[in-house]
mmCIF file of all heavy atoms in Angstrom:
data_model
loop_
_atom_site.group_PDB
_atom_site.id
_atom_site.type_symbol
_atom_site.label_atom_id
_atom_site.label_comp_id
_atom_site.label_asym_id
_atom_site.label_seq_id
_atom_site.Cartn_x
_atom_site.Cartn_y
_atom_site.Cartn_z
ATOM 1 N N LEU B 16 11.826 24.593 18.410
ATOM 2 C CA LEU B 16 11.161 23.692 19.326
ATOM 3 C C LEU B 16 9.737 23.396 18.824
ATOM 4 O O LEU B 16 9.325 22.253 18.731
ATOM 5 C CB LEU B 16 11.074 24.264 20.737
ATOM 6 C CG LEU B 16 12.162 23.787 21.681
ATOM 7 C CD1 LEU B 16 12.112 24.578 22.958
ATOM 8 C CD2 LEU B 16 12.045 22.288 21.945
ATOM 9 N N ASP B 46 14.986 -19.865 7.806
ATOM 10 C CA ASP B 46 15.663 -21.110 7.361
ATOM 11 C C ASP B 46 15.333 -22.344 8.195
ATOM 12 O O ASP B 46 15.925 -23.353 8.127
ATOM 13 C CB ASP B 46 17.169 -20.861 7.314
ATOM 14 C CG ASP B 46 17.714 -20.429 8.679
ATOM 15 O OD1 ASP B 46 16.878 -20.262 9.621
ATOM 16 O OD2 ASP B 46 18.872 -20.215 8.805
ATOM 17 N N ASN B 53 5.360 -33.852 13.985
ATOM 18 C CA ASN B 53 4.075 -33.481 14.533
ATOM 19 C C ASN B 53 2.889 -33.957 13.674
ATOM 20 O O ASN B 53 1.752 -33.619 13.968
ATOM 21 C CB ASN B 53 3.970 -31.957 14.687
ATOM 22 C CG ASN B 53 4.722 -31.503 15.995
ATOM 23 O OD1 ASN B 53 4.812 -32.370 16.913
ATOM 24 N ND2 ASN B 53 5.204 -30.353 16.030
ATOM 25 N N TYR B 65 -2.470 -14.133 26.752
ATOM 26 C CA TYR B 65 -2.050 -13.055 27.680
ATOM 27 C C TYR B 65 -3.195 -12.658 28.463
ATOM 28 O O TYR B 65 -4.386 -12.856 28.134
ATOM 29 C CB TYR B 65 -1.483 -11.909 26.868
ATOM 30 C CG TYR B 65 -2.509 -11.329 25.932
ATOM 31 C CD1 TYR B 65 -3.389 -10.299 26.314
ATOM 32 C CD2 TYR B 65 -2.682 -11.883 24.650
ATOM 33 C CE1 TYR B 65 -4.364 -9.795 25.453
ATOM 34 C CE2 TYR B 65 -3.647 -11.369 23.787
ATOM 35 C CZ TYR B 65 -4.485 -10.362 24.186
ATOM 36 O OH TYR B 65 -5.458 -9.877 23.388
ATOM 37 N N ILE B 132 -7.375 -19.971 5.911
ATOM 38 C CA ILE B 132 -8.166 -20.555 6.977
ATOM 39 C C ILE B 132 -9.600 -20.726 6.457
ATOM 40 O O ILE B 132 -10.086 -20.029 5.626
ATOM 41 C CB ILE B 132 -8.093 -19.616 8.238
ATOM 42 C CG1 ILE B 132 -8.758 -20.344 9.418
ATOM 43 C CG2 ILE B 132 -8.827 -18.292 8.008
ATOM 44 C CD1 ILE B 132 -8.369 -19.728 10.776
ATOM 45 N N GLY B 159 -14.148 -15.350 13.867
ATOM 46 C CA GLY B 159 -14.216 -14.965 15.262
ATOM 47 C C GLY B 159 -15.553 -15.243 15.831
ATOM 48 O O GLY B 159 -15.981 -16.387 15.999
ATOM 49 N N GLY B 197 -15.906 -25.594 19.989
ATOM 50 C CA GLY B 197 -15.298 -26.879 19.649
ATOM 51 C C GLY B 197 -16.281 -28.034 19.837
ATOM 52 O O GLY B 197 -16.283 -29.049 19.157
ATOM 53 N N ALA B 218 1.511 -22.143 6.667
ATOM 54 C CA ALA B 218 2.333 -21.241 5.836
ATOM 55 C C ALA B 218 3.006 -21.986 4.685
ATOM 56 O O ALA B 218 3.188 -21.451 3.633
ATOM 57 C CB ALA B 218 3.358 -20.555 6.703
#
Side-chain angles (χ1 to χ4, degrees):
Chain B
L16 263 171
D46 55 0
N53 282 331
Y65 57 91
I132 193 165

